[in-house]
Amino acid sequence: MDPAVLAWLLAQLGPDTDQTDLQTRYARLGSARAVALEVLNERRAKLLSEPLQLTVNGVATLDQSNNLTGLERQIASVEDATGPDEPNGADTLVIAPLHSARRRRHDWWR
């Protein structure tokens, strides 16, 4: 993983994210966007495994629903983004099927 990919991942996931973990995931998954999505989806799953709201009457209320909304927005943003190791639109190869120019026998009169 080159420094540009690492910088992009840290910008998406936060500067305190374990860089060794990111390098291991990058070697396994092969793209920065896949790494970011895996980490974000794990964070989302961890958040969903616990109650989003906890209220102790008269003492405190803990509400994680805004954190969940933020994570879901971040996931959508990364899904729509082009990673630093992906080709941009100018480098995209498009393959289109070719059809024969010959007409079918029953179309000879057209």
Side-chain angles (χ1 to χ4, degrees):
M1 173 175 20
D2 67 27
V5 170
L6 180 59
W8 186 84
L9 283 168
L10 293 175
Q12 300 303 314
L13 303 171
D16 295 333
T17 306
D18 181 6
Q19 294 182 19
T20 304
D21 179 51
L22 294 178
Q23 290 175 355
T24 303
R25 289 175 193 257
Y26 188 79
R28 179 173 49 86
L29 297 170
S31 82
R33 190 159 50 121
V35 170
L37 288 172
E38 184 175 79
V39 171
L40 291 170
N41 280 311
E42 285 177 3
R43 290 177 182 176
R44 181 180 178 273
K46 183 179 177 184
L47 192 59
L48 287 172
S49 69
E50 299 178 11
L52 289 178
Q53 282 189 331
L54 176 66
T55 301
V56 178
N57 289 334
V59 178
T61 299
L62 177 65
D63 186 356
Q64 297 287 346
S65 57
N66 286 334
N67 292 344
L68 177 61
T69 301
L71 269 174
E72 289 173 342
R73 285 183 182 157
Q74 182 69 16
I75 290 168
S77 173
V78 171
E79 287 175 338
D80 292 340
T82 301
D85 54 352
E86 296 177 293
N88 61 21
D91 296 335
T92 303
L93 174 65
V94 177
I95 299 174
L98 300 176
H99 297 285
S100 173
R102 294 186 302 175
R103 292 181 180 217
R104 296 183 193 141
R105 222 177 252 216
H106 66 277
D107 289 343
W108 64 270
W109 49 271
R110 288 186 189 178

